[in-house]
Structures are given as structure tokens and as C-alpha cells.
Amino acid sequence: MNLAVLGAQWGDEGKGKIVDLLTPRFDLVARYQGGHNAGHTVYVNGVKFVLRLIPSGILHSRVVCLIGNGLVVDPQAFFTEVDELGRNGINVENRLFVSDKAHLILPYHRDLDLLSEARRGERKIGTTSRGIGPAYEDKIARRGIRVGDLADPKALEQNVKDNVLARNRLVHDSTMDWHVVLGQLLEIGKRLQPLVRDVSLMLHDAARAGKSILFEGAQGTLLDIDHGTYPYVTSSNATIGGVCTGLGVGPRAIHGVLGVVKAYTTRVGEGPLPTELSDDMGKRLRDSGNEYGAVTGRPRRCGWYDAVAVRYGVRINGLDALALTKLDVLDGLEQIEICTAYRIGARTITDMPSDVAQLAACQPVYESMPGWDRPTKGVRRFDDLPENARRYVARLEKVTGVPAALVSTGSDRDETILRDDIIGTRLSGLHLK
Ligand code: IMP
């Protein structure tokens, strides 16, 4: 079975842990969009790994990891991560490959990211400043530089020169020397070259050989360039369509879709967040959930579970099941709220509005559930959860419309409830390995 695992909220849902946990059931793990703006945190035996660009499956030595054409790759950041893994005893040789069609993030993209944010002033997006947006802009404008171009230094020279000169004009300084950028790129290109592949073809061959693939998403549905809270989004398709375009596979290659959702809601960066809590409760969630960006260290905005947003994620991605994470963060709360609808003016709506200004005007409609005092932290069987925690999960499933096949009760791999009955009915192929 090939499974897509993606975020159904605003990112940071805990995809890294879920992908790492499921990886032993797959032969390949392939990322399909984004770049090193992602920060997938995985704890193995208490050791913390933060994967930015490299698929979270890399921690399993048997598995081949692929970076698809839909990503934007900063080669410097890529090798920093490879070296970091190496220092921790994770060897990526012969099992980490990069699409020749993936676009490169070069130093000028970072400057342009900062410039664009500065120009927007009050209306800034709150990007990760990694050059993600400008690299995708170049791709769409057909002036981007692809990984495969590293094999043709002549063409590369012209493109790097044009792009650096354009950057100097826009930033109003000429401190960036295209010779230097080109020199560094050619140097790092030599190291990248042996890892470059036709990833679409590799996936096709793997599928024909009966191998199974996990498609790993980054960011989340509401940060998707088309379906998210535009313009407060990232510049790629984090939703299910991104799997096909970002890897070069057909829709029938996706046999199941697992949406990762937190038991509450967070967002980092600007843009509306209807259930945001600006009071002590927001702080309580941030502190107990350690809600600080894995990449930028920025505090995340926190709020109650927003079923309107997740239902939207279910619709856009055709989710088969949920992986519900961070249930333990709610331990000890007296009362927990669930947003089931929005109120806008005199109207109550149950679907996400398309327009960001309308979303910003929405007030959450809550229903309350009693909390639980016995901790859920580390619980591994659903029946061992406190009754009110089970009722909370059941209520989330009901208002979201999709069952939770996995429930995460802590950051370590083992701190997870695998609900075999739901996996069996919703994601049946997962049993195969
Ligand atoms: P960019 O992807 O750096 O252009 O940032 C655009 C928006 O997406 C900002 O609000 C970021 O905070 C957000 N964003 C990008 N990557 C992630 C992520 O991995 N998790 C959560 N938010 C992200």
C-alpha cells in the first residue's frame, strides 16, 4: 500500500513523528513539496532529530528516501542536514536521492524573501526567511535553476548571472557577486551530483517491483498556496494534489490518505486563526506543548481544536483517517473547547470561507467537554485512556467526520496508540508489513 501522510491544519501537526513511526511498513519515503522551511521533529530513544528537507523516514536504515521535483532545495542546507545525520550515526549513502527537476534555493532567494517581507510591512506573511517563496516564484516565472542544471555549467553560468544581477537591482545594492555564487554552486554541485535521479521513474519502477511508498507532506492544508488562507500561506501545494505534481506519480499510486492533526490548533506566522487564545490558556498550551517553531524558534499561536478547519482538510485531501497528536498536552485541563462552527455577523457557518478577510471576521462557536485528571502521557492502548479523554477523541471524530487511526500521547515513537480496528477498515494495506 502507498500512503500519503499530510497535515490537515496549519502545519506543525507532528507529521515527523507519524512518518517515522510508520516508515518500517514502507520501502520508500518521498517528500513532494516545500523545502527547509519544514521542521519535522522526531525523538528516538530520547534523542531529538529535526529534519527539514530530508524525509523523516531517513532514520530507518533500510528505507530509501526521495526528494521530489516539487521541492525547493537549498544545497547548503541539504548537506548541513546530511552531515548532522552523519554525526548522529545515520548514513544516507545509497538511500537518499534528489530529483533532477527540483528547483534550487540560492543565496539571492533569501535576500528577496527578506525584502518582500519588509516591503509588505504590516501585511507581512511571517515567512521562515528561507527563500522558499522567491525560489518558487522563479520556478513559475521559468527562470529557476534546477538540480539537473548543475550538469551543464555553461547554461548555469548565464542563469546565475541573470538572477544575481536581478537581485542586485531589486535590493539596490551590488554586494552579491555572481562569480562567487556560481563558484560555490559548482563546488557543492559536485557533491550533489551522485544523488541526482529521475525520482518519478524511480517511484514508478519501485511500484512495479511491488514496493510500498509513503508520501510525506510538509506544512499543512491551510498553508497550501491554492487551498490555504491566501496570502498567508507557503508557496507550494501541501495538499494531496501536490503528491502527483511534486513527484510525478498518477493519482492511483495513492492508496490511502492519513491526515495528521493536533488535539488543539497552532499556527506560526501571520494570518487568521479563529480559535486563537491570547490569554493564559493559550500560554498554557504553548508551554505544555512546547509550541515553538522547530526551524525559527518563533512561539506558535495556540488555540482550541477547530473542527471547521479540519473538516476542510478532510474534504480537500479526501482523508481516510486521522492521526491525532499531542493529546497529552491537554492533560489536567478542567474543561476543553471544540470549535464546531463559525459565527460571522448574524450567520453561523460550518464551512471554511474562501476569503481570508471573511475568515478573519469569524468567531468560533464552541462546545465544551470536561477534561481529565489522570495523565494520558505515554498511554499505548486506547482503552487505557481516561474515560473523558476517550470521549474527547470520539467527539473530535464525530465533529470532524473521520476516525483517528493513531493517537499520539508523547513525543517518542512508542508513545502512540495504534488502533488496529480503524487501521484495518480505513487503511487496510498498512497491515501488510
Ligand atoms: P514560507 O514557507 O517560509 O514562505 O512561510 C510562509 C508561511 O508558512 C509562514 O506563515 C510560515 O510560518 C509558514 N510555514 C512554513 N513552513 C512551515 C512549517 O513547516 N510549519 C508551520 N508553518 C510553516
Side-chain angles (χ1 to χ4, degrees), residues 10-12 37-39 125-129 132-133 219 223 233-234 268-270 298:
W10 277 272
D12 305 317
N37 49 349
I125 307 293
T127 72
T128 59
S129 320
I132 304 291
Q219 289 84 47
L223 289 174
V233 291
T234 192
V268 57
E270 307 302 317
R298 289 181 291 177

Side-chain angles (χ1 to χ4, degrees), residues 135-345:
Y136 279 115
E137 277 178 48
D138 278 359
K139 169 177 174 170
I140 299 300
R142 293 160 295 184
R143 56 171 177 257
I145 297 176
R146 307 205 291 184
V147 168
D149 297 338
L150 293 169
D152 181 359
K154 201 78 215 122
L156 198 61
E157 178 174 323
Q158 189 60 49
N159 287 337
V160 169
K161 183 178 169 185
D162 289 350
N163 289 352
V164 171
L165 294 181
R167 172 262 177 215
N168 287 351
R169 276 194 304 277
L170 283 165
V171 180
H172 294 301
D173 80 32
S174 43
T175 48
M176 192 173 280
D177 181 342
W178 67 265
H179 298 92
V180 175
V181 176
L182 180 66
Q184 287 168 345
L185 184 57
L186 289 173
E187 194 52 41
I188 207 160
K190 282 188 216 144
R191 195 174 169 199
L192 192 58
Q193 213 67 253
L195 313 185
V196 180
R197 292 287 186 286
D198 181 336
V199 162
S200 162
L201 187 59
M202 277 185 89
L203 289 170
H204 181 75
D205 289 345
R208 272 172 42 137
K211 297 197 166 150
S212 55
I213 307 160
L214 189 155
F215 303 114
E216 178 182 0
Q219 289 84 47
T221 300
L222 291 143
L223 289 174
D224 181 280
I225 183 73
D226 287 289
H227 301 290
T229 52
Y230 191 89
Y232 300 100
V233 291
T234 192
S235 300
S236 62
N237 284 118
T239 50
I240 192 68
V243 173
C244 295
T245 54
L247 285 164
V249 298
R252 285 192 192 86
I254 308 166
H255 306 137
V257 191
L258 180 66
V260 187
V261 293
K262 237 178 246 190
Y264 49 100
T265 308
T266 64
R267 167 167 209 167
V268 57
E270 307 302 317
L273 184 64
T275 63
E276 181 165 14
L277 296 165
S278 312
D279 55 6
D280 282 353
M281 185 55 76
K283 188 173 172 326
R284 155 83 167 71
L285 291 175
R286 180 156 48 250
D287 290 345
S288 32
N290 192 23
E291 296 295 354
Y292 294 89
V295 170
T296 57
R298 289 181 291 177
R300 295 181 186 139
R301 300 155 62 194
C302 299
W304 298 119
Y305 186 87
D306 183 342
V308 180
V310 181
R311 280 199 300 267
Y312 180 72
V314 171
R315 167 156 67 86
I316 296 289
N317 299 297
L319 298 186
D320 293 302
L322 302 178
L324 184 69
T325 62
K326 291 195 148 181
L327 183 66
D328 55 299
V329 172
L330 304 179
D331 284 357
L333 292 183
E334 223 159 85
Q335 191 173 303
I336 304 171
E337 311 290 335
I338 304 173
C339 166
T340 54
Y342 297 149
R343 192 157 297 132
I344 178 160

Side-chain angles (χ1 to χ4, degrees), residues 45-65:
N45 302 325
V47 180
K48 181 178 173 181
F49 293 88
V50 180
L51 297 153
R52 298 171 188 93
L53 195 51
I54 296 177
S56 307
I58 200 74
L59 303 178
H60 298 264
S61 59
R62 194 190 48 78
V63 171
V64 171
C65 288

Side-chain angles (χ1 to χ4, degrees), residues 334-392:
E334 223 159 85
Q335 191 173 303
I336 304 171
E337 311 290 335
I338 304 173
C339 166
T340 54
Y342 297 149
R343 192 157 297 132
I344 178 160
R347 283 186 306 136
T348 299
I349 57 172
T350 51
D351 285 314
M352 254 340 238
S354 305
D355 176 50
V356 79
Q358 269 201 37
L359 182 64
C362 284
Q363 295 299 321
V365 176
Y366 287 124
E367 63 175 52
S368 299
M369 300 278 299
W372 49 91
D373 34 22
R374 193 159 51 80
T376 65
K377 171 95 177 117
V379 169
R380 298 178 60 176
R381 290 184 50 230
F382 195 72
D383 291 343
D384 291 343
L385 288 174
E387 189 187 345
N388 282 353
R390 289 200 304 269
R391 290 182 53 209
Y392 179 66

